[in-house]
Amino acid sequence: MIEPALPEVVRIASDLIRFDTSNFGGGNAKGEREAADYVGDYLRALGLEVEYYEPVPRRTNVVARVPGRDRSLPALVVHGHLDVVPAVAEDWTVDPFAGAVQDGMLWGRGAVDMKNMNAMILTAVADILRAGERPARDLVLAFFADEENGGVEGSALVVRDRPDWFAGATEAISEVGGYSITVDDRRAYLLQVGEKALIWIRLVARGRAGHGSRLHEDNAVTALAEAVAAIGRTRWPIRLTPTTTALLDGLSALTGRDADDPDALAGAAGPAEAFLRSSFRTTTNPTALSAGYKHNVIPERAEALIDVRVIPGTEDEVLAELQEIVGDGIGIETVVRDIGMETPFEGELVEAMVASIGRHDPGVPVIPYLLGAGTDNKALSTLGITGYGFAPLRLPADLDFTGMFHGVDERVPVDSLVFGQQVLADLLRTY
């Protein structure tokens, strides 16, 4: 059990972790309904009107609007997702769905991605409303289903069927930005102003079925294995964008190192190095294999899943090159394709986010970056809403925070959650 003496943001995050909302993809998910009910009950207790939308059974989305002091201003969407990727308990030090707090850390699946931010959103809004205050402008608080499957049964359906939820909104903030990294012993914050495009593909190899003992050259498994290895070993060239160029300039200013070698400069960011390097180029990672049904039967078909993350604007080019890599004998099926985005590191909201961090961690620089993964901001962009990643966390220098996304022993410092709640409440009061 979680001790009541813990900060509320930690208790809420722990409660959310204990809802097993594992999403295996392709429509196979445990569902978000219980977590959505918990969020809805919390929001109703703050005096807010709550709406639910469940277009697919148990894939529950929840929203509430918080009236602002100046309702003539465009509304701000503050959103999170309630699903998580699966966790194999045997691989973890703790039960991934216990929401345990130990060693000053909150542990569990979702502690980083992204039940931490959901708790920060709820408690930041509670801070404002319980004080008898109102945010500067209307807030649309949205908690989506199915983000870990590209939002196919979550945000994509919400923006299609319930655009009224977001009436008057022009900007949004969500996950994977606003957290600190340590660059040559100096702290800096990364503000996410763009996302690579997402393309999930399936490779399909076909051959001739037969007995496993035969001399058999038309083997689908062999063909697939060769294609998967070719893609997995492909090293895509660096292709900078305005955002990644600005990131490198910021790292260069911090370190005094030249920006001509992006990979080497990213190395100064310690554990965040791999996260940053992936934003400089396309990545194509094999993630699943499927073939056969018996040891002595050569199957007719073999499949593999590839997670492709593409520099915005190069989607068709990359797909064509992938076909060249695997050859004409391998079919490529697109399972999910979603847009990439990039927004200038400027404007009133960006200035407000930077200022909010500065009031709680003075003198520490904030640098823009391009997220190598994706968020529900992609879906909101179809409504003309510009999205940013701003889940503020001040983190220890030696914590491999970015490595915990979808990783084992996912955890976040208790103090970081309290910091994030305070910064987020500051932003919502002032912007």
Side-chain angles (χ1 to χ4, degrees):
M1 296 294 293
I2 297 301
E3 301 174 7
L6 289 169
E8 184 182 23
V9 64
V10 180
R11 289 187 280 114
I12 298 300
S14 175
D15 286 348
L16 290 172
I17 288 170
R18 291 200 295 273
F19 294 107
D20 183 353
T21 54
S22 295
N23 188 348
F24 298 87
N28 178 14
K30 294 192 175 183
E32 298 84 0
R33 183 182 293 167
E34 289 78 17
D37 285 340
Y38 177 95
V39 168
D41 290 346
Y42 187 95
L43 294 171
R44 268 194 293 266
L46 296 176
L48 300 173
E49 183 178 336
V50 175
E51 293 186 65
Y52 298 92
Y53 183 53
E54 190 176 283
V56 178
R58 294 192 51 75
R59 312 312 304 276
T60 315
N61 305 272
V62 58
V63 73
R65 186 177 284 254
V66 185
R69 298 190 301 272
D70 185 349
R71 306 204 69 183
S72 69
L73 294 172
L76 176 68
V77 183
V78 187
H79 64 97
H81 62 85
L82 295 171
D83 62 324
V84 295
V85 296
V88 179
E90 292 78 9
D91 296 340
W92 285 57
T93 304
V94 301
D95 180 346
F97 296 104
V101 176
Q102 58 187 49
D103 303 323
M105 298 269 192
L106 171 64
W107 298 63
R109 180 59 88 211
V112 167
D113 185 12
M114 68 168 293
K115 291 178 176 178
N116 60 338
M117 176 59 167
N118 293 335
M120 287 156 53
I121 294 169
L122 293 173
T123 53
V125 171
D127 283 352
I128 296 169
L129 297 181
R130 289 171 184 164
E133 303 171 6
R134 295 168 69 182
R137 63 185 67 220
D138 277 15
L139 305 177
V140 179
L141 309 180
F143 300 86
F144 294 114
D146 202 42
E147 192 274 346
E148 297 294 1
N149 187 47
V152 175
E153 295 185 346
S155 59
L157 299 182
V158 172
V159 300
R160 184 193 72 185
D161 300 337
R162 297 305 307 269
D164 53 294
W165 279 4
F166 310 100
T170 58
E171 296 170 314
I173 58 173
S174 189
E175 59 177 331
V176 207
Y179 59 90
S180 71
I181 61 173
T182 301
V183 183
D184 281 354
D185 298 324
R186 294 185 61 189
R187 189 163 57 249
Y189 288 87
L190 295 178
L191 180 58
Q192 190 255 98
V193 298
E195 302 178 7
K196 289 166 70 177
L198 178 151
I199 309 176
W200 286 343
I201 62 173
R202 178 185 293 112
L203 303 185
V204 179
R206 297 181 184 276
R208 181 165 49 87
H211 198 289
S213 67
R214 294 187 56 180
L215 181 64
H216 195 101
E217 296 180 354
D218 188 15
N219 189 314
V221 176
T222 302
L224 180 74
E226 291 170 343
V228 169
I231 287 180
R233 291 178 179 139
T234 296
R235 293 296 174 261
W236 297 83
I238 289 174
R239 193 162 182 167
L240 298 180
T241 72
T243 300
T244 50
T245 299
L247 166 71
L248 292 170
D249 289 343
L251 294 177
S252 180
L254 274 173
T255 64
R257 304 183 194 182
D258 195 273
D260 289 346
D261 187 342
D263 285 337
L265 188 53
E273 173 186 0
F275 219 60
L276 297 182
R277 289 180 62 200
S278 70
S279 70
F280 302 154
R281 49 173 60 80
T282 287
T283 59
T284 50
N285 284 311
T287 54
L289 299 169
S290 176
Y293 50 90
K294 196 173 187 301
H295 208 131
N296 61 347
V297 178
I298 298 170
E300 182 181 14
R301 179 185 175 106
E303 301 180 357
L305 302 182
I306 313 293
D307 188 338
V308 183
R309 307 295 175 129
V310 179
I311 299 298
T314 68
E315 295 88 335
D316 292 336
E317 175 186 333
V318 168
L319 284 173
E321 190 163 348
L322 285 169
Q323 190 69 72
E324 290 183 11
I325 291 169
V326 300
D328 293 337
I330 302 293
I332 295 181
E333 300 174 356
T334 299
V335 179
V336 176
R337 177 169 174 169
D338 211 342
I339 60 171
M341 305 180 299
E342 195 168 15
T343 302
F345 184 60
E346 59 187 35
E348 292 183 6
L349 177 54
V350 169
E351 292 171 1
M353 291 186 285
V354 171
S356 294
I357 289 177
R359 284 190 287 272
H360 294 265
D361 199 356
V364 179
V366 180
I367 303 171
Y369 89 109
L370 180 73
L371 177 63
T375 75
D376 285 318
N377 279 328
K378 293 180 186 294
L380 292 171
S381 72
T382 66
L383 299 178
I385 297 172
T386 301
Y388 301 88
F390 189 71
L393 296 167
R394 183 170 56 199
L395 299 164
D398 59 350
L399 182 68
D400 185 7
F401 177 74
T402 58
M404 291 183 198
F405 282 85
H406 300 187
V408 173
D409 283 346
E410 189 178 339
R411 60 197 183 277
V412 64
V414 167
D415 291 346
S416 298
L417 291 175
V418 174
F419 174 86
Q421 174 191 1
Q422 293 170 345
V423 174
L424 193 58
D426 185 318
L427 174 70
L428 301 182
R429 279 188 172 99
T430 56
Y431 177 67

